[in-house]
Amino acid sequence: YPRGAAEYHAVCIVGYTDDGYLIAKNSWGDPLGNGGLVYIPEERATKEEYALCDVGTAISKKAKRIELVVGSDTAQADGTSAALDAAPYIKDDRTFLPVRFVAEALGAAVAWDAATSTATLSSEEGVITVRTHDKVLLVNGKRVGMDAAPEIKNDRLMLPIRPVAEALNCKVEWIANENKAVITAI
């Protein structure tokens, strides 16, 4: 709103797309049911100033190392044990991990839209959108193919986490003799 209006509106730029849009988090919450995100063309003129900080949104700590073992309901994040509400499992030679635990451990907020079976992960590294039974995820608006589709198991979204972890600037290592996935922040 222009100066002097009864109410002001702000957005926090959280990423960008390869096709010329800034991805912003809406300070009014999620009125459109899209995770509270808006896409603003980079060339759009603004009538107000840009702020270099977002005092209303907490910055989440990003774990440096996460370890998850197939079949175990506990994980390690920077050496601290954490309970999982869904254990990792192997299906068709792919290790499926709980999306929410990994995303939050890597400093991303997770929004779930049950109507579209879509999870939106927002962090300082960008915005990732993943949908059940779809082998394509969006990373800052760019399509990224996966070799296995996410699925719901025991009311939890599970998927091979490599594409998500890499989008959050991490590397993933599989230790076969321990049935362990190790995610390390770069």
Side-chain angles (χ1 to χ4, degrees):
Y1 287 108
R3 294 192 188 289
E7 193 175 336
Y8 287 90
H9 180 223
V11 295
C12 176
I13 305 301
V14 295
Y16 59 91
T17 67
D18 289 338
D19 58 349
Y21 288 87
L22 298 173
I23 304 169
K25 191 171 189 179
N26 188 347
S27 69
W28 285 341
D30 190 12
L32 301 176
N34 63 357
L37 302 176
V38 293
Y39 293 81
I40 304 168
E42 288 178 342
E43 70 276 357
R44 181 177 174 187
T46 60
K47 295 180 183 176
E48 299 294 327
E49 298 83 19
Y50 288 102
L52 297 178
C53 65
D54 175 17
V55 296
T57 302
I59 296 173
S60 298
K61 179 184 179 292
K62 181 176 183 176
K64 292 181 174 90
R65 181 180 174 94
I66 302 167
E67 299 180 15
L68 299 109
V69 176
V70 170
S72 176
D73 61 356
T74 60
Q76 295 286 320
D78 289 340
T80 302
S81 290
L84 299 174
D85 53 8
Y89 59 91
I90 295 175
K91 178 181 175 184
D92 299 328
D93 292 326
R94 292 291 170 257
T95 304
F96 283 70
L97 304 176
V99 174
R100 182 174 296 276
F101 172 80
V102 173
E104 289 178 349
L106 294 175
V110 180
W112 174 250
D113 182 347
T116 62
S117 296
T118 302
T120 302
L121 291 59
S122 304
S123 79
E124 293 177 5
E125 280 96 6
V127 177
I128 302 165
T129 305
V130 60
R131 183 175 298 169
T132 59
H133 310 296
D134 188 349
K135 288 186 176 183
V136 175
L137 57 87
L138 294 177
V139 178
N140 294 328
K142 181 179 178 184
R143 296 171 58 85
V144 175
M146 298 185 292
D147 56 4
E151 62 186 28
I152 302 291
K153 184 171 183 182
N154 298 327
D155 293 326
R156 295 292 173 247
L157 180 62
M158 309 287 285
L159 84 152
I161 207 73
R162 185 176 304 275
V164 170
E166 289 175 351
L168 295 173
N169 295 316
C170 296
K171 67 178 185 172
V172 180
E173 176 186 7
W174 173 248
I175 302 173
N177 62 337
E178 298 179 41
N179 276 340
K180 182 191 294 184
V182 178
I183 302 166
T184 308
I186 299 173

